[in-house]
Amino acid sequence: ALLDLSGPSEIEGVWKATTTLPCSYVPMKDFLQQTLTWAVEHDQSSRTIFRRDNSGDHVLLSEYRDRVEVPKNSPGNVSLHIGKLEISDKGTYTCRVTWRASNNSLVTREISTRVQVLKVAVTKPVIRAGELGLVLPAGASTSLTCVASGSPPISYRWFRGEPGGAARRLGSGAELTFDRLQPSHAGKYYCEAENR
């Protein structure tokens, strides 16, 4: 295949998370990448977000500043990473690459990807035990980690007892740590995960 860009036609990104818009090509020795631009179209107007040329990388739209990057030193990979995805980031993104051929002619290719931004409810959390498992000797130290996925930020709360019953709140944070286990620590623990 002679110099073709590849990438998906549509992507669903998660609100507040980092999303990658894939765009790549197979490098060929007679063609040198001159410029790369990423543009976005919202409501019929197209604006350039990112430009890479011989003077370096430039982020041209203030609302994307500090939120976008394209991998360096990985020939052929010109994917756009967008951090902290906003609802307003939805639109059609166009990756455009221009190469200079050994005979000095220019070749340009482009592909477009439509981006949807989804708010994702938090999943039911999973508790991961420390390396020693759930049966532990007195005096040992261990931790329990609460893991859920969904739109960030996700907050966690730990309880000792039964959900819906008499439970004592122990703390917030994904990890519940025990420094020196006592027999009195034995029992049931659960965690809750929540996002917006």
Side-chain angles (χ1 to χ4, degrees), residues 57-185:
D57 288 0
H58 311 280
V59 178
L60 305 173
L61 286 182
S62 59
E63 63 261 38
Y64 289 95
R65 201 150 289 142
D66 303 326
R67 289 202 299 132
V68 296
E69 62 175 5
V70 173
K72 287 183 165 69
N73 312 320
S74 57
N77 181 0
V78 288
S79 303
L80 183 71
H81 298 287
I82 306 177
K84 295 196 178 82
L85 206 61
E86 295 294 343
I87 299 295
S88 58
D89 290 339
K90 79 178 196 327
T92 301
Y93 290 74
T94 301
C95 171
R96 183 180 293 115
V97 178
T98 300
W99 298 268
R100 184 177 295 282
S102 47
N103 65 3
N104 261 343
S105 64
L106 295 176
V107 179
T108 299
R109 294 279 184 273
E110 63 178 55
I111 58 164
S112 294
T113 301
R114 206 160 95 241
V115 174
Q116 302 287 355
V117 182
L118 306 178
K119 290 186 180 184
V120 178
V122 76
T123 58
K124 183 175 167 60
V126 178
I127 294 178
R128 294 208 183 115
E131 290 168 25
L132 302 172
L134 294 170
V135 179
L136 299 142
S141 62
T142 190
S143 64
L144 298 173
T145 307
C146 192
V147 185
S149 61
S151 293
I154 299 175
S155 60
Y156 298 95
R157 288 184 297 276
W158 281 97
F159 298 87
R160 179 173 181 175
E162 296 279 353
R168 201 170 99 241
R169 181 154 172 194
L170 298 173
S172 55
E175 197 170 39
L176 182 64
T177 309
F178 300 90
D179 291 333
R180 287 180 59 83
L181 283 167
Q182 306 299 322
S184 60
H185 287 129

